[in-house]
Every structure is written in structure tokens, then in C-alpha cells.
Amino acid sequence: MKKTGLLVCLITALCALSLTAETITVSIGAGTHWKSKSAPQFAVWLEDEDGTFVRTLYATPKTAKKTFSFCPKSGRPESLPVWYNASKTAVHLDAVSSATPKGGTVFQTELDGKKYVIKAEFNTSFDYNSFYTKKNAGVNGQPSVVYAAKLSDELLNNGEIQLTLTGTGSLDGSNGHIAPDVENLTTAKEIVQAITVSR
């Protein structure tokens, strides 16, 4: 009897969750520096309002599976240091592309009606400029760029939400802090044209 009651409660809870879940579309438009031969590595994820990691929505294969060429088993945390440190490279992903997109990407995921912050981090290897050189910037060249936006029903009801550039990740992958200074970035700011979320 107790088991039956527990099962009924579980089914009711799952049904309520499915009724409140809503599908959103995340669109990433390729910028002028989205290289077709060497497309950027990137990840998109959710955090709660307090900045606690919730789940990864999307990650490119090399990022998710740590299969970079000539790298240690730990992968290359310096490629996407903010996501690596936030997620602790969690195994569960909503979506992993079968191949790194050559011209942006569009994917869908579900929200449960709560308020979140959506973040996206991008990096192109060997992306050097006059400030981030081979001598001081390692494999990355310019550091990863991080975009973010608040997600809520109120905002989504008003139409499309666009993520904005919030800063960069650490060059050596030693931490997950976002540095707000983007003054010395050049082509790194042109990897994506726009990142939008819509119903």
C-alpha cells in the first residue's frame, strides 16, 4: 500500500514537472571570426540566481569528451575555463553536437519556470593578436570569451533575449573567474555575431 502511494506521488510530481516545462530555442550566429576549418570550442550552460551551476545545455565534442589533439587526459581546461570550473566537467549534457558546427548552431532545451542565468563560453585556439602573443598567451592566444543573460518568464514573454559579452576566462585555466576587461580583445569578439534565446 505504501509503495503504491509513493508511486502515485512520484507520477504526479513528474506530470506536474512536464506540464510546467517549456521548450526554448538557443540560436548562436557565427561571426566573422568563426573559422570553418578550425571552428571554436564552446559550451552553453545554466546557473541559478546565486551563481550555482545547474546543468550544461550544449557542448562541442572535444570539449565534452576531452579529445583535444596533443593534450593531457584532463583535457584543456584553459580552452573554456569558466565552464570547466563551474561544471566540474559533469558528464550529463542536454546536447552534444556530433561535429563542431561550421557556421553557428541552433538547439532546443526545456526550462521549468524558474529564474536562471544562461552563459556561453567560446574559444578559438592560436587566436593571437598584438597583446596576446605566442610568448605570453600559450595555445589559446586570446582568452575565452563569456556571454550571459538572465532568463525568466517575464523576459521571454517580451520576445527574444540576447546574451551580452561579460568578460574573459583565465588564460591558463587555473580558475573559473570571469575577468571583465575585454579592451585587448580583437578577433575573439568576432567569433559570434549574436546569441539569442526565444520561445
Side-chain angles (χ1 to χ4, degrees):
M1 186 70 177
K2 287 183 179 179
K3 288 183 179 179
T4 303
L6 182 61
L7 182 61
V8 170
C9 288
L10 181 60
I11 291 172
T12 303
L14 289 173
C15 288
L17 181 62
S18 65
L19 289 174
T20 58
E22 184 170 11
T23 301
I24 61 168
T25 300
V26 180
S27 304
I28 300 172
T32 56
H33 197 62
W34 186 296
K35 298 179 180 179
S36 58
K37 289 185 178 179
S38 180
Q41 297 305 310
F42 64 93
V44 184
W45 71 99
L46 292 180
E47 294 181 0
D48 65 20
E49 291 184 291
D50 297 323
T52 302
F53 175 83
V54 176
R55 72 180 194 269
T56 298
L57 303 180
Y58 188 99
T60 46
K62 288 182 181 179
T63 295
K65 300 173 184 177
K66 304 179 187 177
T67 55
F68 291 96
S69 300
F70 309 108
C71 76
K73 290 182 180 179
S74 58
R76 277 192 51 220
E78 73 275 13
S79 64
L80 302 176
V82 179
W83 176 74
Y84 269 93
N85 280 275
S87 67
K88 306 300 182 193
T89 59
V91 175
H92 175 72
L93 305 170
D94 277 14
V96 180
S97 67
S98 57
T100 303
K102 294 184 178 181
T105 190
V106 176
F107 66 92
Q108 293 184 321
T109 189
E110 288 189 345
L111 293 183
D112 55 11
K114 296 179 182 177
K115 294 182 178 180
Y116 294 108
V117 174
I118 184 171
K119 291 185 177 178
E121 185 174 20
F122 300 81
N123 182 274
T124 300
S125 299
F126 312 112
D127 192 13
Y128 302 108
N129 63 16
S130 60
F131 187 86
Y132 295 102
T133 67
K134 290 182 180 180
K135 291 183 179 180
N136 67 24
V139 175
N140 276 352
Q142 295 171 75
S144 64
V145 287
V146 183
Y147 294 77
K150 291 182 179 179
L151 290 183
S152 67
D153 284 339
E154 298 84 20
L155 291 171
L156 285 167
N157 284 336
N158 292 327
E160 219 170 51
I161 296 172
Q162 186 159 319
L163 280 67
T164 57
L165 179 63
T166 60
T168 65
S170 66
L171 274 176
D172 62 2
S174 60
N175 63 69
H177 304 311
I178 300 174
D181 184 10
V182 296
E183 182 181 351
N184 295 305
L185 298 179
T186 53
T187 49
K189 292 191 285 188
E190 299 169 356
I191 295 172
V192 294
Q193 181 179 27
I195 310 163
T196 58
V197 182
S198 59
R199 283 198 163 105

